[in-house]
Amino acid sequence: LQKIFYQLRLDYICRRISRNYKFEYNLTEILADLIYGRVLFPRSKKGTYEYSQKLLEKPSYELHDVYRALKVIAENKDYIQSAVYKFSGEMGARNDRILYYDCTNFYFEMEEESGLCKYGPSKENRPNPIVEMGLFMDGDGIPLAFCIHEGNTNEQKTLIPLEKQIIEDFNHAKFIVCTDAGLSSTANRKFNNVADRAFITVQSIKKMKEFQREWALSPDGWHLPGKKETFNLDTILSSEESIEQYKNWTFYKEEWFNENDIEQRYIVTFDIKYMLYMRHIREKQIERAQNAIDSTTKRDRTRKSDYKKYISKISVTPDGEVASETIYALNEDKIREEEKYDGFYAVATNLEDPVESIIRVNRRRWEIEESFRIMKTEFKSRPVYVSLDECITAHFTTCYLALILYRYLEKALGNKYTCEEIISQLREMKFYKVPTHGFLPAYTRTDFTDDLHDAFGFRTDYEILSKSTMRSIISATKKK
Protein backbone atom coordinates (compact mmCIF):
# COMPACT_ATOMS: atom_id res chain seq x y z
CA LEU A 1 0.00 0.00 0.00
CA GLN A 2 2.82 2.39 0.83
CA LYS A 3 4.49 1.72 -2.52
CA ILE A 4 1.31 2.70 -4.35
CA PHE A 5 0.79 5.71 -2.05
CA TYR A 6 4.15 7.11 -3.13
CA GLN A 7 3.72 6.12 -6.78
CA LEU A 8 0.57 8.27 -6.82
CA ARG A 9 2.72 11.09 -5.40
CA LEU A 10 0.43 11.58 -2.42
CA ASP A 11 3.48 12.64 -0.39
CA TYR A 12 4.12 15.46 -2.88
CA ILE A 13 0.43 16.40 -2.85
CA CYS A 14 0.51 16.65 0.96
CA ARG A 15 3.65 18.82 0.89
CA ARG A 16 2.00 21.16 -1.63
CA ILE A 17 -1.02 21.48 0.60
CA SER A 18 1.12 22.02 3.71
CA ARG A 19 2.77 25.08 2.15
CA ASN A 20 -0.52 26.94 2.41
CA TYR A 21 -0.88 26.31 6.16
CA LYS A 22 1.21 26.95 9.26
CA PHE A 23 0.75 23.63 11.04
CA GLU A 24 3.81 21.62 12.09
CA TYR A 25 2.45 18.06 11.98
CA ASN A 26 3.29 15.74 9.08
CA LEU A 27 0.20 15.65 6.84
CA THR A 28 1.71 12.88 4.70
CA GLU A 29 2.00 10.57 7.70
CA ILE A 30 -1.53 11.28 8.88
CA LEU A 31 -3.15 10.81 5.48
CA ALA A 32 -1.12 7.64 4.85
CA ASP A 33 -2.11 6.08 8.18
CA LEU A 34 -5.78 6.98 7.66
CA ILE A 35 -5.69 5.29 4.23
CA TYR A 36 -3.74 2.21 5.35
CA GLY A 37 -5.96 1.94 8.41
CA ARG A 38 -9.11 2.01 6.29
CA VAL A 39 -7.84 -1.04 4.37
CA LEU A 40 -6.04 -2.97 7.10
CA PHE A 41 -7.79 -2.15 10.38
CA PRO A 42 -10.88 0.04 9.77
CA ARG A 43 -11.73 1.92 12.96
CA SER A 44 -12.66 5.36 14.18
CA LYS A 45 -10.05 8.10 13.81
CA LYS A 46 -9.02 7.57 17.45
CA GLY A 47 -8.90 3.80 16.95
CA THR A 48 -6.82 4.20 13.79
CA TYR A 49 -4.32 6.40 15.63
CA GLU A 50 -4.03 3.91 18.48
CA TYR A 51 -3.61 0.90 16.18
CA SER A 52 -1.05 2.78 14.07
CA GLN A 53 1.28 2.54 17.07
CA LYS A 54 1.67 -1.14 16.12
CA LEU A 55 2.89 -0.40 12.60
CA LEU A 56 6.55 -0.80 11.66
CA GLU A 57 6.69 3.00 11.31
CA LYS A 58 5.01 4.48 14.36
CA PRO A 59 3.29 7.88 14.09
CA SER A 60 5.29 10.98 14.88
CA TYR A 61 2.08 13.01 15.30
CA GLU A 62 -0.49 13.18 18.12
CA LEU A 63 -4.18 12.34 18.10
CA HIS A 64 -5.24 15.99 18.16
CA ASP A 65 -3.20 16.49 14.96
CA VAL A 66 -5.41 13.91 13.23
CA TYR A 67 -8.57 15.88 13.98
CA ARG A 68 -6.93 19.11 12.82
CA ALA A 69 -5.77 17.43 9.63
CA LEU A 70 -9.32 16.37 8.76
CA LYS A 71 -10.27 20.00 8.11
CA VAL A 72 -7.24 20.45 5.82
CA ILE A 73 -8.05 17.25 3.89
CA ALA A 74 -11.66 18.38 3.44
CA GLU A 75 -10.68 21.83 2.21
CA ASN A 76 -8.37 20.30 -0.39
CA LYS A 77 -10.60 17.44 -1.53
CA ASP A 78 -10.88 18.67 -5.12
CA TYR A 79 -7.15 19.34 -5.48
CA ILE A 80 -6.31 15.90 -4.08
CA GLN A 81 -8.60 14.23 -6.62
CA SER A 82 -7.29 16.12 -9.63
CA ALA A 83 -3.64 15.69 -8.59
CA VAL A 84 -4.04 11.95 -7.98
CA TYR A 85 -5.64 11.62 -11.42
CA LYS A 86 -2.73 13.51 -12.99
CA PHE A 87 -0.02 11.44 -11.26
CA SER A 88 -1.84 8.15 -11.82
CA GLY A 89 -0.92 8.56 -15.47
CA GLU A 90 2.70 7.93 -14.48
CA MET A 91 1.67 4.41 -13.39
CA GLY A 92 0.26 3.63 -16.81
CA ALA A 93 -2.34 4.98 -19.20
CA ARG A 94 -5.78 5.38 -17.65
CA ASN A 95 -8.70 3.70 -19.40
CA ASP A 96 -10.67 6.93 -19.06
CA ARG A 97 -12.43 6.99 -22.42
CA ILE A 98 -15.35 5.27 -20.68
CA LEU A 99 -16.48 6.54 -17.27
CA TYR A 100 -19.01 4.80 -15.04
CA TYR A 101 -21.08 6.83 -12.58
CA ASP A 102 -23.32 5.78 -9.74
CA CYS A 103 -24.52 6.97 -6.34
CA THR A 104 -24.99 5.35 -2.96
CA ASN A 105 -25.66 6.51 0.57
CA PHE A 106 -24.06 5.99 3.96
CA TYR A 107 -25.91 6.09 7.25
CA PHE A 108 -24.97 7.73 10.54
CA GLU A 109 -25.34 6.59 14.14
CA MET A 110 -27.50 9.56 15.08
CA GLU A 111 -31.14 10.56 15.19
CA GLU A 112 -31.06 14.27 14.37
CA GLU A 113 -30.23 15.83 11.00
CA SER A 114 -27.09 17.94 10.90
CA GLY A 115 -25.30 19.59 7.98
CA LEU A 116 -24.75 17.01 5.24
CA CYS A 117 -26.60 14.36 7.28
CA LYS A 118 -30.20 14.44 6.13
CA TYR A 119 -33.08 12.02 6.08
CA GLY A 120 -33.51 10.70 2.57
CA PRO A 121 -34.45 7.57 0.59
CA SER A 122 -32.01 5.05 2.08
CA LYS A 123 -31.10 2.23 -0.29
CA GLU A 124 -30.90 -0.03 2.75
CA ASN A 125 -34.20 1.23 4.24
CA ARG A 126 -32.50 2.37 7.45
CA PRO A 127 -34.22 4.99 9.64
CA ASN A 128 -31.04 7.05 10.02
CA PRO A 129 -29.77 10.31 8.53
CA ILE A 130 -27.62 9.67 5.47
CA VAL A 131 -25.13 11.34 3.15
CA GLU A 132 -24.95 10.60 -0.56
CA MET A 133 -21.78 9.78 -2.48
CA GLY A 134 -21.44 10.02 -6.24
CA LEU A 135 -18.51 8.11 -7.76
CA PHE A 136 -16.88 8.08 -11.19
CA MET A 137 -14.87 4.99 -12.12
CA ASP A 138 -12.75 4.43 -15.24
CA GLY A 139 -12.95 1.47 -17.59
CA ASP A 140 -10.49 -0.53 -15.47
CA GLY A 141 -12.50 -0.13 -12.29
CA ILE A 142 -10.19 2.52 -10.78
CA PRO A 143 -11.99 5.47 -9.11
CA LEU A 144 -11.55 8.77 -10.89
CA ALA A 145 -13.60 11.33 -8.92
CA PHE A 146 -16.23 11.54 -6.20
CA CYS A 147 -18.63 13.99 -4.61
CA ILE A 148 -20.54 14.16 -1.33
CA HIS A 149 -24.05 15.59 -1.01
CA GLU A 150 -26.78 15.95 1.57
CA GLY A 151 -28.76 12.77 2.07
CA ASN A 152 -31.95 14.21 0.57
CA THR A 153 -30.30 15.25 -2.72
CA ASN A 154 -31.83 13.95 -5.96
CA GLU A 155 -29.05 11.73 -7.36
CA GLN A 156 -29.89 12.71 -10.94
CA LYS A 157 -28.69 16.25 -10.18
CA THR A 158 -25.25 15.12 -8.97
CA LEU A 159 -23.86 13.87 -12.29
CA ILE A 160 -23.40 17.10 -14.28
CA PRO A 161 -21.56 19.10 -11.55
CA LEU A 162 -19.01 16.31 -11.09
CA GLU A 163 -18.61 15.95 -14.85
CA LYS A 164 -17.90 19.68 -15.07
CA GLN A 165 -15.26 19.29 -12.35
CA ILE A 166 -13.59 16.50 -14.32
CA ILE A 167 -13.65 18.60 -17.50
CA GLU A 168 -12.24 21.71 -15.80
CA ASP A 169 -9.95 20.41 -13.03
CA PHE A 170 -8.79 17.19 -14.68
CA ASN A 171 -8.50 18.67 -18.18
CA HIS A 172 -10.36 15.62 -19.45
CA ALA A 173 -13.26 16.37 -21.78
CA LYS A 174 -13.64 13.38 -24.13
CA PHE A 175 -15.44 10.43 -22.60
CA ILE A 176 -18.50 8.20 -22.64
CA VAL A 177 -20.64 8.22 -19.49
CA CYS A 178 -22.29 4.94 -18.49
CA THR A 179 -25.03 5.02 -15.82
CA ASP A 180 -27.93 3.02 -14.48
CA ALA A 181 -31.60 3.87 -15.05
CA GLY A 182 -31.82 6.01 -11.91
CA LEU A 183 -29.39 8.54 -13.41
CA SER A 184 -30.73 8.56 -16.97
CA SER A 185 -32.60 11.87 -16.84
CA THR A 186 -33.16 13.88 -20.00
CA ALA A 187 -30.90 16.65 -18.66
CA ASN A 188 -28.03 14.20 -18.11
CA ARG A 189 -28.45 12.73 -21.59
CA LYS A 190 -28.53 16.15 -23.23
CA PHE A 191 -25.41 17.25 -21.37
CA ASN A 192 -23.53 14.30 -22.88
CA ASN A 193 -25.06 14.56 -26.32
CA VAL A 194 -22.19 16.67 -27.70
CA ALA A 195 -19.25 16.13 -30.02
CA ASP A 196 -16.70 15.03 -27.42
CA ARG A 197 -18.99 13.11 -25.08
CA ALA A 198 -21.60 10.38 -25.34
CA PHE A 199 -23.81 8.32 -23.06
CA ILE A 200 -24.82 4.73 -22.46
CA THR A 201 -27.59 4.42 -19.90
CA VAL A 202 -29.92 1.71 -18.73
CA GLN A 203 -33.40 2.30 -20.13
CA SER A 204 -36.41 1.06 -18.18
CA ILE A 205 -38.67 -0.82 -20.60
CA LYS A 206 -41.61 -0.19 -18.28
CA LYS A 207 -41.08 3.58 -18.65
CA MET A 208 -40.92 3.53 -22.46
CA LYS A 209 -43.80 4.98 -24.42
CA GLU A 210 -46.44 2.39 -25.25
CA PHE A 211 -45.45 1.94 -28.91
CA GLN A 212 -41.78 1.61 -27.90
CA ARG A 213 -42.64 -0.92 -25.23
CA GLU A 214 -44.67 -2.95 -27.73
CA TRP A 215 -41.71 -2.91 -30.11
CA ALA A 216 -39.29 -3.92 -27.33
CA LEU A 217 -41.39 -6.85 -26.12
CA SER A 218 -42.57 -8.06 -29.52
CA PRO A 219 -41.35 -11.62 -30.27
CA ASP A 220 -40.46 -10.64 -33.87
CA GLY A 221 -37.31 -9.07 -35.29
CA TRP A 222 -34.60 -10.40 -32.96
CA HIS A 223 -30.97 -10.86 -34.00
CA LEU A 224 -27.93 -12.77 -32.83
CA PRO A 225 -24.38 -11.44 -33.14
CA GLY A 226 -22.73 -12.70 -36.33
CA LYS A 227 -25.93 -14.10 -37.85
CA LYS A 228 -27.93 -12.53 -40.68
CA GLU A 229 -31.33 -14.12 -40.08
CA THR A 230 -33.92 -12.80 -37.65
CA PHE A 231 -35.54 -14.83 -34.87
CA ASN A 232 -38.95 -15.07 -33.24
CA LEU A 233 -38.81 -15.47 -29.46
CA ASP A 234 -42.11 -17.36 -29.29
CA THR A 235 -40.61 -19.97 -31.61
CA ILE A 236 -37.39 -20.13 -29.57
CA LEU A 237 -39.31 -20.59 -26.31
CA SER A 238 -41.79 -23.10 -27.75
CA SER A 239 -39.73 -26.19 -26.96
CA GLU A 240 -37.21 -27.38 -24.40
CA GLU A 241 -34.88 -28.33 -27.25
CA SER A 242 -34.65 -24.81 -28.70
CA ILE A 243 -34.39 -23.28 -25.21
CA GLU A 244 -31.41 -25.51 -24.52
CA GLN A 245 -29.92 -24.65 -27.93
CA TYR A 246 -30.08 -20.88 -27.41
CA LYS A 247 -29.77 -20.47 -23.63
CA ASN A 248 -26.17 -19.27 -23.89
CA TRP A 249 -26.95 -16.61 -26.51
CA THR A 250 -28.08 -13.02 -26.12
CA PHE A 251 -30.66 -11.84 -28.64
CA TYR A 252 -31.01 -8.16 -29.48
CA LYS A 253 -32.96 -5.61 -31.47
CA GLU A 254 -32.27 -1.93 -31.97
CA GLU A 255 -34.02 1.21 -33.18
CA TRP A 256 -33.33 4.94 -33.27
CA PHE A 257 -35.88 7.26 -31.66
CA ASN A 258 -36.05 11.02 -31.27
CA GLU A 259 -36.73 11.49 -27.57
CA ASN A 260 -36.86 15.00 -26.04
CA ASP A 261 -34.91 16.41 -29.02
CA ILE A 262 -32.19 13.75 -28.66
CA GLU A 263 -31.50 11.20 -31.36
CA GLN A 264 -30.89 8.09 -29.30
CA ARG A 265 -30.62 4.44 -30.04
CA TYR A 266 -32.52 1.89 -27.98
CA ILE A 267 -30.87 -1.52 -27.76
CA VAL A 268 -33.02 -4.23 -26.19
CA THR A 269 -31.57 -7.64 -25.30
CA PHE A 270 -33.19 -10.91 -24.37
CA ASP A 271 -31.36 -13.66 -22.52
CA ILE A 272 -32.92 -17.04 -21.70
CA LYS A 273 -30.67 -17.55 -18.67
CA TYR A 274 -31.68 -14.11 -17.37
CA MET A 275 -35.35 -14.99 -17.94
CA LEU A 276 -35.01 -18.25 -15.99
CA TYR A 277 -33.16 -16.46 -13.19
CA MET A 278 -35.86 -13.79 -12.88
CA ARG A 279 -38.56 -16.46 -12.79
CA HIS A 280 -36.68 -18.39 -10.12
CA ILE A 281 -36.46 -15.25 -7.97
CA ARG A 282 -40.16 -14.53 -8.49
CA GLU A 283 -41.16 -18.07 -7.53
CA LYS A 284 -39.33 -17.60 -4.23
CA GLN A 285 -41.03 -14.23 -3.68
CA ILE A 286 -44.45 -15.70 -4.47
CA GLU A 287 -43.79 -18.54 -2.05
CA ARG A 288 -42.90 -16.06 0.69
CA ALA A 289 -45.96 -13.96 -0.17
CA GLN A 290 -48.22 -16.98 0.14
CA ASN A 291 -46.65 -17.88 3.47
CA ALA A 292 -47.27 -14.32 4.67
CA ILE A 293 -50.91 -14.53 3.58
CA ASP A 294 -51.30 -17.79 5.48
CA SER A 295 -49.74 -16.29 8.59
CA THR A 296 -50.20 -13.00 10.41
CA THR A 297 -46.97 -11.30 9.26
CA LYS A 298 -48.54 -9.12 6.57
CA ARG A 299 -47.35 -5.54 6.03
CA ASP A 300 -48.53 -3.10 3.43
CA ARG A 301 -45.26 -1.25 2.89
CA THR A 302 -43.14 -2.79 0.13
CA ARG A 303 -40.15 -2.02 -2.01
CA LYS A 304 -39.20 -3.14 -5.50
CA SER A 305 -37.56 -6.43 -4.48
CA ASP A 306 -40.01 -7.20 -1.66
CA TYR A 307 -42.26 -10.25 -1.92
CA LYS A 308 -45.12 -8.22 -0.38
CA LYS A 309 -45.68 -6.48 -3.71
CA TYR A 310 -47.43 -9.69 -4.81
CA ILE A 311 -49.99 -9.46 -1.99
CA SER A 312 -53.26 -7.68 -2.77
CA LYS A 313 -55.48 -6.29 -0.02
CA ILE A 314 -59.26 -6.04 -0.20
CA SER A 315 -60.77 -3.79 2.47
CA VAL A 316 -64.21 -3.09 1.03
CA THR A 317 -67.18 -5.22 0.00
CA PRO A 318 -68.39 -5.45 -3.64
CA ASP A 319 -70.95 -2.77 -2.70
CA GLY A 320 -68.18 -0.37 -1.71
CA GLU A 321 -68.76 -0.62 2.02
CA VAL A 322 -65.97 -1.05 4.55
CA ALA A 323 -65.41 -4.77 5.06
CA SER A 324 -65.52 -6.29 8.52
CA GLU A 325 -62.05 -7.74 7.92
CA THR A 326 -59.29 -7.25 5.35
CA ILE A 327 -58.78 -10.06 2.84
CA TYR A 328 -55.27 -10.79 1.55
CA ALA A 329 -54.55 -12.76 -1.62
CA LEU A 330 -51.90 -13.22 -4.30
CA ASN A 331 -52.05 -10.44 -6.87
CA GLU A 332 -52.21 -12.58 -10.03
CA ASP A 333 -52.46 -9.53 -12.32
CA LYS A 334 -49.25 -8.10 -10.85
CA ILE A 335 -47.48 -11.44 -11.31
CA ARG A 336 -48.57 -11.77 -14.97
CA GLU A 337 -47.60 -8.15 -15.69
CA GLU A 338 -44.08 -8.61 -14.35
CA GLU A 339 -43.59 -11.91 -16.17
CA LYS A 340 -43.80 -10.02 -19.48
CA TYR A 341 -40.42 -8.42 -18.78
CA ASP A 342 -38.52 -11.58 -17.79
CA GLY A 343 -35.24 -11.84 -19.68
CA PHE A 344 -35.44 -8.38 -21.27
CA TYR A 345 -32.96 -5.57 -20.72
CA ALA A 346 -32.53 -2.24 -22.49
CA VAL A 347 -30.00 0.56 -22.84
CA ALA A 348 -30.17 3.92 -24.56
CA THR A 349 -27.17 5.53 -26.26
CA ASN A 350 -26.23 8.13 -28.84
CA LEU A 351 -23.30 6.01 -30.07
CA GLU A 352 -23.24 4.21 -33.40
CA ASP A 353 -20.79 1.53 -32.24
CA PRO A 354 -21.58 -2.18 -32.79
CA VAL A 355 -24.23 -3.60 -30.49
CA GLU A 356 -21.76 -6.07 -28.97
CA SER A 357 -19.48 -3.18 -27.93
CA ILE A 358 -22.31 -1.24 -26.29
CA ILE A 359 -23.47 -4.32 -24.37
CA ARG A 360 -19.91 -5.16 -23.30
CA VAL A 361 -19.31 -1.63 -21.96
CA ASN A 362 -22.60 -1.55 -20.06
CA ARG A 363 -21.99 -4.94 -18.43
CA ARG A 364 -18.98 -3.57 -16.56
CA ARG A 365 -21.21 -1.34 -14.42
CA TRP A 366 -21.09 -4.10 -11.78
CA GLU A 367 -17.59 -2.96 -10.85
CA ILE A 368 -18.77 0.38 -9.50
CA GLU A 369 -21.39 -1.44 -7.44
CA GLU A 370 -18.59 -3.67 -6.17
CA SER A 371 -16.57 -0.57 -5.24
CA PHE A 372 -19.41 0.66 -3.04
CA ARG A 373 -19.68 -2.80 -1.46
CA ILE A 374 -15.94 -2.82 -0.70
CA MET A 375 -16.15 0.59 0.98
CA LYS A 376 -19.16 -0.41 3.04
CA THR A 377 -18.18 -3.94 4.06
CA GLU A 378 -14.39 -4.36 3.89
CA PHE A 379 -13.46 -0.75 4.65
CA LYS A 380 -16.36 -0.31 7.13
CA SER A 381 -16.98 3.23 5.91
CA ARG A 382 -20.40 3.12 7.56
CA PRO A 383 -21.92 3.80 9.99
CA VAL A 384 -20.28 7.23 10.05
CA TYR A 385 -19.56 8.51 13.55
CA VAL A 386 -18.15 11.98 12.78
CA SER A 387 -20.74 14.77 12.54
CA LEU A 388 -19.06 17.97 11.33
CA ASP A 389 -19.31 18.47 7.57
CA GLU A 390 -15.55 18.91 7.18
CA CYS A 391 -14.89 15.66 9.08
CA ILE A 392 -17.49 13.83 6.97
CA THR A 393 -15.86 15.10 3.77
CA ALA A 394 -12.40 14.11 5.01
CA HIS A 395 -13.65 10.67 6.05
CA PHE A 396 -14.96 9.90 2.58
CA THR A 397 -11.85 11.38 0.96
CA THR A 398 -9.73 8.82 2.80
CA CYS A 399 -12.21 6.05 1.90
CA TYR A 400 -12.00 7.11 -1.76
CA LEU A 401 -8.18 7.15 -1.70
CA ALA A 402 -8.10 3.77 0.06
CA LEU A 403 -10.25 2.38 -2.75
CA ILE A 404 -7.83 3.73 -5.36
CA LEU A 405 -4.85 2.12 -3.61
CA TYR A 406 -6.73 -1.14 -3.28
CA ARG A 407 -7.68 -1.18 -7.00
CA TYR A 408 -4.07 -0.58 -8.05
CA LEU A 409 -2.95 -3.37 -5.70
CA GLU A 410 -5.57 -5.66 -7.23
CA LYS A 411 -4.29 -4.73 -10.69
CA ALA A 412 -0.64 -5.33 -9.69
CA LEU A 413 -1.62 -8.84 -8.61
CA GLY A 414 -3.10 -9.53 -12.03
CA ASN A 415 -6.73 -9.46 -10.80
CA LYS A 416 -6.21 -13.06 -9.66
CA TYR A 417 -7.69 -12.74 -6.19
CA THR A 418 -11.04 -11.73 -4.73
CA CYS A 419 -11.36 -8.70 -2.51
CA GLU A 420 -11.92 -10.92 0.52
CA GLU A 421 -8.75 -12.90 -0.22
CA ILE A 422 -6.62 -9.79 -0.67
CA ILE A 423 -7.88 -7.92 2.39
CA SER A 424 -7.90 -10.89 4.76
CA GLN A 425 -4.37 -11.99 3.84
CA LEU A 426 -2.98 -8.46 4.01
CA ARG A 427 -4.35 -8.21 7.54
CA GLU A 428 -2.57 -11.43 8.50
CA MET A 429 0.89 -10.26 7.39
CA LYS A 430 2.26 -9.46 10.82
CA PHE A 431 5.71 -9.84 12.40
CA TYR A 432 7.18 -10.76 15.74
CA LYS A 433 9.69 -8.20 16.90
CA VAL A 434 12.68 -10.17 18.14
CA PRO A 435 14.93 -8.11 20.47
CA THR A 436 18.43 -7.55 19.08
CA HIS A 437 17.65 -9.61 15.97
CA GLY A 438 14.92 -7.90 14.00
CA PHE A 439 11.59 -9.14 12.67
CA LEU A 440 10.26 -12.69 12.28
CA PRO A 441 7.33 -13.23 9.87
CA ALA A 442 4.26 -14.43 11.81
CA TYR A 443 2.15 -15.26 8.78
CA THR A 444 1.83 -18.30 6.51
CA ARG A 445 3.44 -18.18 3.11
CA THR A 446 0.81 -18.62 0.35
CA ASP A 447 0.45 -18.12 -3.40
CA PHE A 448 -0.91 -14.68 -2.55
CA THR A 449 2.13 -13.63 -0.51
CA ASP A 450 4.42 -14.98 -3.25
CA ASP A 451 2.60 -12.95 -5.89
CA LEU A 452 2.61 -9.90 -3.64
CA HIS A 453 6.37 -10.07 -3.13
CA ASP A 454 6.98 -10.69 -6.82
CA ALA A 455 4.82 -7.70 -7.81
CA PHE A 456 6.56 -5.28 -5.44
CA GLY A 457 10.10 -6.58 -5.57
CA PHE A 458 10.96 -7.64 -2.01
CA ARG A 459 10.50 -10.61 0.33
CA THR A 460 9.66 -10.79 4.02
CA ASP A 461 8.72 -14.45 4.38
CA TYR A 462 11.99 -16.43 4.35
CA GLU A 463 13.76 -15.74 7.63
CA ILE A 464 14.35 -13.18 10.33
CA LEU A 465 14.79 -9.75 8.79
CA SER A 466 17.34 -7.50 10.44
CA LYS A 467 16.32 -4.00 11.38
CA SER A 468 18.53 -2.60 8.63
CA THR A 469 16.95 -4.92 6.04
CA MET A 470 13.48 -3.84 7.10
CA ARG A 471 14.52 -0.19 6.94
CA SER A 472 15.80 -0.78 3.40
CA ILE A 473 12.48 -2.34 2.35
CA ILE A 474 10.53 0.54 3.85
CA SER A 475 12.80 3.05 2.15
CA ALA A 476 12.35 1.30 -1.18
CA THR A 477 8.57 1.65 -0.96
CA LYS A 478 8.94 5.42 -0.84
CA LYS A 479 10.88 5.70 -4.08
CA LYS A 480 9.02 6.80 -7.20
Side-chain angles (χ1 to χ4, degrees), residues 345-375:
Y345 188 87
V347 297
T349 183
N350 56 348
L351 292 168
E352 298 181 5
D353 297 47
V355 170
E356 299 93 316
S357 299
I358 303 295
I359 295 173
R360 185 167 57 251
V361 167
N362 183 66
R363 280 180 175 166
R364 294 203 65 180
R365 283 192 310 104
W366 67 268
E367 289 186 274
I368 197 165
E369 295 171 1
E370 184 195 46
S371 292
F372 286 141
R373 183 190 62 80
I374 290 171
M375 278 197 285

Side-chain angles (χ1 to χ4, degrees), residues 139-409:
D140 288 330
I142 299 173
L144 185 129
F146 83 101
C147 56
I148 292 293
H149 298 281
E150 295 178 349
N152 57 5
T153 303
N154 181 344
E155 65 179 12
Q156 292 187 348
K157 296 181 179 180
T158 65
L159 174 63
I160 294 176
L162 192 54
E163 275 197 65
K164 289 180 177 178
Q165 181 181 331
I166 291 172
I167 293 169
E168 295 169 8
D169 294 351
F170 292 32
N171 194 28
H172 180 49
K174 297 181 179 180
F175 50 82
I176 300 165
V177 177
C178 189
T179 70
D180 67 8
L183 289 151
S184 61
S185 67
T186 298
N188 289 343
R189 297 187 197 198
K190 284 185 175 180
F191 185 76
N192 290 297
N193 189 38
V194 294
D196 290 335
R197 295 193 304 280
F199 64 84
I200 301 173
T201 186
V202 177
Q203 172 64 49
S204 171
I205 298 177
K206 294 179 181 179
K207 294 182 179 180
M208 287 181 180
K209 294 178 181 177
E210 185 176 353
F211 78 94
Q212 294 170 333
R213 190 163 56 251
E214 290 177 356
W215 162 78
L217 300 177
S218 169
D220 296 317
W222 292 88
H223 302 268
L224 283 176
K227 296 185 180 294
K228 294 182 179 179
E229 68 264 40
T230 58
F231 297 82
N232 180 285
L233 294 185
D234 286 347
T235 302
I236 297 295
L237 299 174
S238 63
S239 69
E240 291 296 330
E241 183 180 353
S242 60
I243 289 175
E244 185 66 25
Q245 179 183 354
Y246 290 103
K247 73 176 184 180
N248 293 317
W249 291 84
T250 297
F251 296 88
Y252 73 90
K253 61 170 58 174
E254 58 178 317
E255 189 65 66
W256 284 87
F257 296 100
N258 188 301
E259 288 280 294
N260 301 305
D261 298 323
I262 307 173
E263 286 291 335
Q264 48 192 320
R265 176 185 177 202
Y266 283 5
I267 300 172
V268 183
T269 63
F270 176 79
D271 189 298
I272 292 176
K273 280 188 175 180
Y274 184 40
M275 177 193 73
L276 296 174
Y277 169 75
M278 294 178 73
R279 290 186 177 174
H280 172 73
I281 296 298
R282 184 176 298 103
E283 286 172 3
K284 295 294 184 182
Q285 291 175 334
I286 292 172
E287 182 181 340
R288 293 178 66 194
Q290 185 63 62
N291 290 338
I293 291 170
D294 296 338
S295 67
T296 58
T297 58
K298 298 178 282 288
R299 292 191 307 171
D300 297 331
R301 187 177 179 183
T302 65
R303 58 184 192 271
K304 185 177 179 182
S305 59
D306 198 336
Y307 67 89
K308 298 180 186 69
K309 65 185 176 181
Y310 296 125
I311 300 176
S312 63
K313 182 178 72 170
I314 303 173
S315 303
V316 296
T317 66
D319 298 326
E321 299 178 357
V322 177
S324 58
E325 65 178 74
T326 300
I327 299 174
Y328 293 89
L330 286 177
N331 190 333
E332 300 290 350
D333 291 339
K334 175 74 171 178
I335 293 171
R336 283 192 296 271
E337 176 63 22
E338 293 216 348
E339 280 180 347
K340 295 193 308 185
Y341 300 95
D342 288 352
F344 293 93
Y345 188 87
V347 297
T349 183
N350 56 348
L351 292 168
E352 298 181 5
D353 297 47
V355 170
E356 299 93 316
S357 299
I358 303 295
I359 295 173
R360 185 167 57 251
V361 167
N362 183 66
R363 280 180 175 166
R364 294 203 65 180
R365 283 192 310 104
W366 67 268
E367 289 186 274
I368 197 165
E369 295 171 1
E370 184 195 46
S371 292
F372 286 141
R373 183 190 62 80
I374 290 171
M375 278 197 285
K376 291 180 177 182
T377 58
E378 300 298 334
F379 295 176
K380 299 187 185 339
S381 55
R382 49 108 200 245
V384 184
Y385 294 99
V386 292
S387 57
L388 296 177
D389 284 357
E390 61 193 30
C391 294
I392 293 169
T393 301
H395 169 73
F396 286 109
T397 301
T398 59
C399 291
Y400 165 80
L401 293 172
L403 184 61
I404 292 179
L405 264 66
Y406 166 76
R407 286 300 194 191
Y408 272 111
L409 173 60

Side-chain angles (χ1 to χ4, degrees), residues 421-439:
E421 289 171 331
I422 292 174
I423 298 297
S424 63
Q425 294 196 65
L426 279 179
R427 291 172 180 171
E428 291 300 316
M429 294 184 70
K430 300 178 181 179
F431 296 85
Y432 293 113
K433 188 173 182 180
V434 183
T436 71
H437 287 82
F439 301 92

Side-chain angles (χ1 to χ4, degrees), residues 458-476:
F458 60 87
R459 301 210 72 91
T460 60
D461 56 356
Y462 283 157
E463 55 189 14
I464 292 180
L465 284 83
S466 66
K467 292 180 181 180
S468 61
T469 300
M470 186 63 82
R471 282 196 297 269
S472 297
I473 292 174
I474 292 172
S475 177

Side-chain angles (χ1 to χ4, degrees), residues 103-138:
C103 291
T104 193
N105 47 53
F106 297 82
Y107 69 92
F108 286 70
E109 287 291 354
M110 60 172 63
E111 296 296 330
E112 298 293 329
E113 293 184 326
S114 175
L116 289 168
C117 314
K118 295 284 193 270
Y119 284 106
S122 171
K123 297 185 178 182
E124 295 152 332
N125 297 289
R126 290 181 177 272
N128 304 83
I130 57 177
V131 294
E132 182 178 80
M133 170 186 272
L135 178 68
F136 264 115
M137 177 192 84
D138 71 14

